[in-house]
């Protein structure tokens, strides 16, 4: 059963070493992520599963201790999922960037409350398959918590990665409302085609969360919502 969830954005800029001089711009987002992870710890889960967007080659699953790196972003910084050591003989497949950011968040907050596993999901994955994946995750232990990584639209301003799209603000507002209200039905109903056009990386992970939360009767709280670089970042906690 799902006992708690934290929803966080996944830009590498969340890591201060990557952001460098721009690091203060996401101070509030980092603080909100810390608060959301505190909700996960308080739920005393038997298993924490981290879910985030990934390309085909990096979808996992990833065991505790899987390595990640920010060297591709010009920073000599390595992380491991859950802070553990990879099992002997286990393949050292690197974490996709979204899960590397999650690993950094877990290290930053000193996570030691439950075993951790990672799962990357592809942007094109259909809603029905996302929902089924979520249901499968929560069937694995009596008390499961999720850390769900993903960004909203990348089209909120002219200098955004996806340029300005007038549909982006409305889409992001509905996402923030649904995540803040733990509205499972609304998350399941997100328009995958529109999400793709708006360069939303979080749609599939959020729908995995919706599948995991079916029948759990969790309440939600919106902790942060902004678009400092023209990309929608949302932090929410469910418990």
């Amino acid at each position: 059963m799902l006992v708690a969830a934290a929803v966080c954005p996944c830009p590498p800029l969340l890591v201060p070493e990557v952001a460098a001089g721009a690091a203060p711009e996401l101070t509030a987002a980092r603080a909100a992520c810390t608060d959301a992870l505190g909700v996960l710890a308080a739920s005393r889960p038997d298993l924490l599963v981290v879910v985030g967007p990934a390309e085909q080659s990096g979808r996992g699953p990833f065991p505790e201790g899987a390595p990640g790196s920010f060297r591709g972003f010009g920073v000599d910084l390595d992380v491991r999922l859950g802070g553990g050591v990879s099992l002997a003989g286990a393949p050292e497949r690197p974490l996709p960037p979204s899960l590397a950011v999650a690993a950094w968040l877990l290290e930053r907050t000193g996570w030691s409350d439950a075993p951790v596993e990672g799962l990357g999901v592809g942007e094109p994955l259909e809603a029905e398959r996302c929902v089924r994946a979520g249901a499968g995750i929560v069937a694995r232990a009596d008390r499961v918590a999720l850390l769900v990584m993903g960004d909203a639209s990348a089209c909120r301003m002219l200098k955004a990665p996806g340029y300005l799209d007038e549909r982006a603000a409305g889409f992001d507002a509905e996402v923030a409302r649904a995540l803040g209200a733990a509205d499972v039905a609304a998350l399941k109903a997100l328009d995958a085609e529109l999400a793709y056009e708006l360069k939303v990386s979080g749609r599939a992970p959020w729908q995995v969360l919706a599948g995991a939360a079916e029948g759990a009767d969790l309440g939600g709280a919106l902790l942060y919502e902004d678009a400092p670089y023209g990309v929608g970042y949302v932090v929410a906690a469910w418990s």
Side-chain angles (χ1 to χ4, degrees), residues 174-201:
E174 172 57 15
V175 164
R177 185 207 64 78
L179 290 172
D183 189 336
V184 170
L187 292 176
K188 286 183 179 180
L190 288 175
D191 186 329
E193 183 176 349
L194 178 58
Y196 175 78
E197 292 174 0
L198 296 176
K199 302 186 182 302
V200 176
S201 71

Side-chain angles (χ1 to χ4, degrees), residues 59-84:
R59 294 184 187 175
F62 296 91
E64 183 159 18
S69 173
F70 295 97
R71 296 174 189 270
F73 301 96
V75 175
D76 185 12
L77 177 63
D78 298 319
V79 292
R80 283 194 178 272
L81 186 63

Side-chain angles (χ1 to χ4, degrees), residues 95-121:
L95 297 168
S98 67
L99 298 191
V101 173
W104 177 82
L105 286 172
L106 291 169
E107 287 186 9
R108 181 173 182 260
T109 55
W111 179 269
S112 60
D113 299 88
V116 182
E117 296 179 6
L119 177 66
V121 292

Side-chain angles (χ1 to χ4, degrees), residues 97-213:
S98 67
L99 298 191
V101 173
W104 177 82
L105 286 172
L106 291 169
E107 287 186 9
R108 181 173 182 260
T109 55
W111 179 269
S112 60
D113 299 88
V116 182
E117 296 179 6
L119 177 66
V121 292
E123 184 277 331
L125 194 65
E126 300 90 342
E128 295 79 5
R129 293 182 62 191
C130 293
V131 169
R132 288 200 301 271
I137 288 171
V138 295
R140 298 188 51 219
D142 289 338
R143 298 179 62 81
V144 177
L146 288 184
L147 172 54
V148 183
M149 310 298 292
D151 301 337
S153 74
C155 304
R156 292 276 293 272
M157 60 188 293
L158 291 175
K159 293 185 178 180
Y163 197 65
L164 175 66
D165 190 311
E166 294 181 354
R167 302 170 296 175
F171 183 93
D172 288 359
E174 172 57 15
V175 164
R177 185 207 64 78
L179 290 172
D183 189 336
V184 170
L187 292 176
K188 286 183 179 180
L190 288 175
D191 186 329
E193 183 176 349
L194 178 58
Y196 175 78
E197 292 174 0
L198 296 176
K199 302 186 182 302
V200 176
S201 71
R203 190 274 308 170
W206 299 330
Q207 290 183 324
V208 171
L209 168 60

